[in-house]
Amino acid sequence: MTFIQSAHEKIQGCIFCHLLQEKKDPENLILYRSAHSFIILNKYPYNNGHLMVVPLQHTNELSQLSRDARNDLMDHTDHCIKAIKEVYKPEGFNLGMNLGAAGGAGIREHLHMHIVPRWTGDTNFMPVLADTKSMPQHLDESFKNLEPYFRRLK
């Protein structure tokens, strides 16, 4: 968490808004953009294929999104589940938003939906004993594996 927060602090303002303005989607791991949201690989994933759906509107309140934006958020959450099933064949998923500091939000100012693929036995002793999570696949490879699915949506 210290590493995540220090990397986030190097950007002035909201990291999600900053990434959107850069227009460097492959470099920034953005897989897809729609009228109301975008889909991005989590740079600090819990598991391979960990995606996030982020509204274009800068807000930390779900109630501030329009009905179209909320529908888009859920439609793209469904697309992420389908893409991850196709590419990674997980046994389950964790879906959710962490809202506010007490809710565990790492990026508190801009809400986003996490889609985390899960497999039986995907937790181990490394996070507990070594404060380390091992990832068998590099983010660039995850992007290359998932990108064809989202290209079909365009």
Side-chain angles (χ1 to χ4, degrees), residues 5-75:
Q5 290 172 337
S6 68
H8 175 59
E9 290 168 4
K10 293 176 187 172
I11 302 289
Q12 294 296 321
C14 174
I15 184 67
F16 291 135
C17 293
H18 175 81
L19 294 175
L20 279 171
Q21 292 170 0
E22 280 194 332
K23 305 283 190 211
K24 299 178 183 174
D25 290 358
E27 294 93 336
N28 290 329
L29 305 173
I30 295 174
L31 288 157
Y32 183 77
R33 292 176 185 243
S34 72
H36 299 285
S37 64
F38 67 100
I39 298 169
I40 186 169
L41 271 161
N42 191 318
K43 197 168 188 175
Y44 308 102
Y46 296 114
N47 271 336
N48 289 111
H50 179 168
L51 298 176
M52 297 181 294
V53 181
V54 185
L56 298 181
Q57 180 182 337
H58 179 83
T59 183
N60 61 3
E61 295 289 335
L62 190 59
S63 63
Q64 289 183 3
L65 294 177
S66 68
R67 180 174 302 281
D68 287 341
R70 287 192 310 270
N71 288 342
D72 195 69
L73 182 77
M74 292 311 295
D75 286 346

Side-chain angles (χ1 to χ4, degrees), residues 116-133:
V116 182
R118 300 301 305 265
W119 294 266
T120 303
D122 67 5
T123 56
N124 59 43
F125 66 92
M126 291 292 286
V128 175
L129 298 180
D131 198 24
T132 301
K133 174 85 176 178

Side-chain angles (χ1 to χ4, degrees), residues 29 31 39-53 77 79-85 87-90 92-95 113-119 133 135-147 150:
L29 305 173
L31 288 157
I39 298 169
I40 186 169
L41 271 161
N42 191 318
K43 197 168 188 175
Y44 308 102
Y46 296 114
N47 271 336
N48 289 111
H50 179 168
L51 298 176
M52 297 181 294
V53 181
T77 297
H79 288 305
C80 289
I81 291 168
K82 289 173 182 172
I84 294 167
K85 281 182 176 180
V87 173
Y88 291 101
K89 316 261 186 294
F93 288 89
N94 289 128
L95 305 176
M113 175 72 77
H114 289 268
I115 302 94
V116 182
R118 300 301 305 265
W119 294 266
K133 174 85 176 178
M135 302 299 291
Q137 185 179 57
H138 192 275
L139 285 172
D140 291 338
E141 190 164 335
S142 294
F143 186 90
K144 288 176 189 172
N145 288 342
L146 288 163
E147 196 270 337
F150 293 101

